[in-house]
Amino acid sequence: MLPAGYRQIDHTADLALELWAPNEQELLVVGAFAVTDIMTDGATVSTDAIRPVRIEAVDAEDRLVQWLNEIIVAAVVDGFLVGDAWVELRNNSLIAELRGEHNGWSRIVTELKSATYHDLVVDCGDLDVRARVVIDV
Amino acid sequence: MTIKFERLDDYRYRIPATKKMRVPGLIYASKRMLDEIRKDESPRQVANVAHLPGILGHSIAMPDIHWGYGFPIGGVAAFDADQGVLSPGGVGYDINCGVRLLASALTRDDVADCLADLSLALHRAIPSGVGSRSHRRLTNRELERVLHTGARWAVTQGYGRENDLTVIEEGGCMDGADSTAVSERAKDRGRPQLGSLGSGNHFCELGYVAEIYNRRIADAFGLREGQVTIMIHSGSRGLGYQVCDESLRTMIRASQKYGISLPDRQLCAAPLASAEAEVYFAAMAAAINFAFANRQMMTHFVRQAMAQFFATTDSKLGLGLVYDVCHNIAKWETHTVDGEERRVCVHRKGATRAFGPGHPEVPELYREVGQPVLVPGDMGRYSFVLAGTETAMRETFGSSCHGAGRKLSRRQAKKAARGRPIFRELQARGVFVRSDSKATVAEELPEAYKDVADVVGVMHNAGVARKVAKLVPLAVVKG
């Protein structure tokens, strides 16, 4: 298994994601890729444009949900698709720079409503970080 | 925690209150359906909801229950005004997702030979699909009016008829809405989408009345055999999703602040009397109004498209609104609890209000027979019109089922559809399906859903809602 990645898990009404990475920052980047892949059916995304993100969260689980929702909203409201991301964590703050492309609305083939807090797990182990998150479709 | 069930009768199963559950759970289902229901996490979610402070009676689930997030889909819970809570997870992301039914003066024979073209005309008329956008660009001021006045705004702008408003839940305008409680981001997400269907399980369906079960009530609803009908299923689009998402974050903090213990974070809530609940209620009510206006605009588009297609006026085609019901909502209602009339906050998530005969909130037109309960099925089989009953008032806080309920996940459905000519299969059954997305149609495969006849059968046999009419699809526009 690759050190960082994601897979979809079945959930009756929605879709769930399992994410893993060596640390939380990389897990968040994997999450951004996963959500973008689902929305665009795996389209290649350029990294010409930059979009800053700042999130205040109560914990790692809240941070993951808020982060994924930033990616979803960036796509559906502004047509900004994420091709890469840089993430820094400072206490409860997440500071990030999304790199991607603007005006990507037409490339969105699956509409995601939101990442949810239901059945949410972020497990920070000694060797890696694993997460499970349900997305409302 | 293992979920235990006690059989009360052929259609009612109780989950006894154990550990921190404040009330028992109550699931309406047949034995066969219960065997399916217990395969997923939804019974646990029924039990989880019973943990919330101030819950009254039972944590209730309808026969179309399936695994949601926090609350199950098909869940109903009512909360005491003083001790109870308001939970965005009990309403869901698609606030006021709902369905409305139009009845035409056309018969099945009138449309039989033109369904291919008529379905295309409807598809062209209604913005649908992923990221679908409105024909109309709203100014900030217009959006504010939408959020405060709902379907009323749409009618004043020429989208529909004045008497449509008399047959919409809440008259198409929910009290308590405040546009300032809706974030700029939510407004940005919703602004371009008003008057669009969206994707997923949303649809506009042209069908006909295939069977009447209760002629007296069908007459009151203006339904007769062979009559062509239109059903529109959509909600508050991105605006509602964003309101829910942002409110959850507030409510997670509120749950900690007020010491509300949660078995699932998605159940986060705040006391009904708190500032957090007030703000959420105001934003939710605004999203509810957005959804009412959304369905109202699409009703107008359907009437326009039909009138143009048949080269006549929309009023000559009938196309009167029968009713419009909400599926995802929390609202203040008066119910009898322990023999006493009380004002309670009822959460319905994937459930329909089903007020019985004589209730003052049922439109005068239907007050004698109970409100129409519209229950869409899948796009290949049938849908039902039911009527609310006194039993619903006694047992379910005046609530009934809302649809078929999914049986296959979206991925399983896509897998089942792989390699199959789904559009042609449905056409062979007499249903013309129009969609920009093959993937959506695959996800919405008829066999992905429970048989809605089983679902409404349980409601009818349990006395919660009366079967009135069966509608069979002829043409479906999918998002």
Side-chain angles (χ1 to χ4, degrees):
Chain A
M1 189 186 277
L2 292 167
Y6 75 91
R7 70 182 183 100
Q8 283 190 47
I9 318 167
D10 252 356
H11 185 281
T12 318
D14 309 286
L15 71 88
L17 289 173
E18 188 176 281
L19 313 164
W20 63 90
N23 54 53
E24 191 186 340
Q25 287 96 318
E26 285 186 59
L27 183 99
L28 292 163
V29 174
V30 168
F33 291 156
V35 162
T36 307
D37 278 353
I38 292 164
M39 286 192 288
T40 63
D41 201 15
T44 306
V45 177
S46 68
T47 54
D48 301 336
I50 288 176
R51 181 180 171 110
V53 172
R54 190 181 178 104
I55 289 169
E56 300 298 325
V58 293
D59 54 27
E61 291 172 338
D62 184 32
R63 193 153 44 236
L64 176 61
V65 169
Q66 287 199 52
W67 168 254
L68 296 181
N69 286 335
E70 281 291 331
I71 309 301
I72 292 169
V73 169
V76 297
V77 176
D78 300 325
F80 186 95
L81 302 178
V82 177
D84 201 356
W86 166 86
V87 177
E88 188 183 339
L89 302 179
R90 289 183 204 155
N91 300 319
N92 285 332
S93 301
L94 177 155
I95 297 152
E97 195 173 86
L98 302 177
R99 294 174 204 137
E101 61 179 72
H102 283 300
N103 302 318
W105 289 289
S106 62
R107 303 175 72 189
I108 300 173
V109 293
T110 299
E111 193 168 35
L112 302 181
K113 290 179 190 163
S114 184
T116 78
Y117 291 89
H118 170 62
D119 217 12
L120 174 65
V121 177
V122 177
D123 184 10
C124 300
D126 292 338
L127 299 174
D128 63 3
V129 181
R130 291 179 167 270
R132 185 180 63 235
V133 59
V134 176
I135 314 272
D136 188 11
V137 181
Chain B
M1 182 173 72
T2 310
I3 302 293
K4 288 188 179 149
F5 297 92
E6 292 173 356
R7 179 180 174 278
L8 301 180
D9 61 23
D10 286 350
Y11 304 106
R12 292 169 180 83
Y13 290 84
R14 180 161 57 199
I15 299 173
T18 54
K19 295 185 179 168
K20 291 182 179 175
M21 286 172 68
R22 295 166 194 262
V23 295
L26 177 62
I27 297 182
Y28 288 84
S30 63
K31 171 75 174 70
R32 190 167 55 81
M33 293 173 90
L34 188 72
D35 290 341
E36 284 300 312
I37 290 167
R38 56 201 306 175
K39 285 181 187 167
D40 73 19
E41 290 293 312
S42 53
R44 184 180 307 279
Q45 294 186 311
V46 174
N48 285 346
V49 171
H51 287 69
L52 291 172
I55 185 167
L56 298 167
H58 292 87
S59 165
I60 300 165
M62 297 300 159
D64 48 338
I65 179 180
H66 55 278
W67 191 5
Y69 23 87
F71 278 60
I73 295 161
V76 176
F79 294 88
D80 177 72
D82 298 323
Q83 307 298 319
V85 293
L86 183 60
S87 172
V91 175
Y93 284 92
D94 195 358
I95 297 168
N96 189 10
C97 178
V99 63
R100 60 169 48 190
L101 181 70
L102 309 180
S104 79
L106 297 165
T107 66
R108 186 187 180 192
D109 289 344
D110 293 329
V111 299
D113 296 332
C114 59
L115 285 171
D117 291 337
L118 182 54
S119 55
L120 279 174
L122 290 172
H123 189 204
R124 275 195 297 266
I126 303 172
S128 58
V130 173
S132 45
R133 287 173 175 245
S134 175
H135 295 317
R136 178 167 177 152
R137 298 295 293 179
L138 292 175
T139 63
N140 289 341
R141 192 169 168 72
E142 284 172 329
L143 181 57
E144 262 181 43
R145 299 300 302 153
V146 170
L147 298 178
H148 285 116
T149 61
R152 216 168 277 280
W153 172 85
V155 170
T156 60
Q157 297 296 306
Y159 300 107
R161 307 169 187 166
E162 185 66 32
N163 63 0
D164 290 343
L165 300 172
T166 62
V167 282
I168 303 176
E169 198 171 321
E170 297 296 320
C173 175
M174 179 89 164
D175 281 343
D178 181 356
S179 64
T180 63
V182 178
S183 71
E184 286 308 310
R185 180 173 270 192
K187 288 173 184 167
D188 287 346
R189 206 168 163 180
R191 188 180 286 105
Q193 297 181 329
L194 189 71
S196 68
L197 198 60
S199 61
N201 62 356
H202 294 154
F203 63 80
C204 170
E205 180 178 297
L206 182 134
Y208 72 98
V209 180
E211 200 171 348
I212 298 283
Y213 302 101
N214 187 315
R215 199 157 296 281
R216 184 177 75 92
I217 304 180
D219 284 347
F221 291 170
L223 298 175
R224 60 182 190 281
E225 270 147 348
Q227 180 181 28
V228 167
T229 57
I230 300 270
M231 201 178 252
I232 298 171
H233 178 224
S234 188
S236 50
R237 311 284 283 111
L239 185 135
Y241 315 156
Q242 194 63 31
V243 165
C244 179
D245 172 49
E246 291 167 9
S247 306
L248 285 168
R249 291 206 287 281
T250 308
M251 293 302 197
I252 283 171
R253 290 184 174 90
S255 299
Q256 290 171 344
K257 177 177 161 187
Y258 297 107
I260 299 169
S261 149
L262 300 170
D264 179 345
R265 228 175 187 184
Q266 191 81 15
L267 292 174
C268 57
L272 278 159
S274 67
E276 290 88 343
E278 266 178 39
V279 171
Y280 171 63
F281 194 93
M284 175 196 67
I288 286 169
N289 288 338
F290 186 92
F292 280 139
N294 190 36
R295 292 196 288 274
Q296 185 64 38
M297 286 177 75
M298 283 187 282
T299 298
H300 176 71
F301 300 151
V302 166
R303 286 171 175 159
Q304 269 191 321
M306 297 275 285
Q308 200 173 357
F309 187 84
F310 289 103
T312 184
T313 61
D314 68 73
S315 55
K316 280 193 181 151
L317 293 174
L319 296 172
L321 183 58
V322 177
Y323 205 54
D324 178 304
V325 293
C326 315
H327 289 165
N328 291 353
I329 198 163
K331 60 206 287 199
W332 288 103
E333 293 173 0
T334 301
H335 289 277
T336 304
V337 182
D338 300 330
E340 188 190 334
E341 269 209 350
R342 285 162 71 172
R343 197 164 165 262
V344 302
C345 185
V346 183
H347 292 58
R348 296 190 181 95
K349 181 178 178 185
T352 306
R353 197 184 75 173
F355 281 178
H359 195 287
E361 286 180 46
V362 175
E364 213 175 322
L365 199 57
Y366 308 137
R367 201 164 294 156
E368 207 176 300
V369 295
Q371 76 160 83
V373 176
L374 312 173
V375 187
D378 60 75
M379 61 184 165
R381 286 180 275 191
Y382 29 65
S383 299
F384 288 88
V385 179
L386 314 180
T389 66
E390 293 89 348
T391 304
M393 300 313 296
R394 280 197 307 273
E395 294 186 14
T396 62
F397 296 97
S399 312
S400 181
C401 62
H402 87 307
R406 283 195 86 89
K407 194 167 69 177
L408 301 182
S409 70
R410 291 173 195 277
R411 279 196 347 143
Q412 285 169 328
K414 271 186 184 166
K415 201 171 162 190
R418 201 168 297 149
R420 284 169 51 186
I422 301 299
F423 288 88
R424 265 193 289 149
E425 278 182 25
L426 286 160
Q427 203 169 316
R429 289 195 201 184
V431 187
F432 286 78
V433 177
R434 303 295 179 191
S435 174
D436 292 333
S437 166
K438 276 186 189 170
T440 300
V441 174
E443 285 175 2
E444 294 295 310
L445 206 61
E447 59 258 43
Y449 286 88
K450 295 177 194 173
D451 185 343
V452 74
D454 293 340
V455 172
V456 302
V458 168
M459 293 282 88
H460 179 82
N461 291 326
V464 171
R466 280 186 196 93
K467 269 165 69 172
V468 177
K470 178 162 83 176
L471 313 177
V472 167
L474 295 168
V476 183
V477 175
K478 288 297 290 183

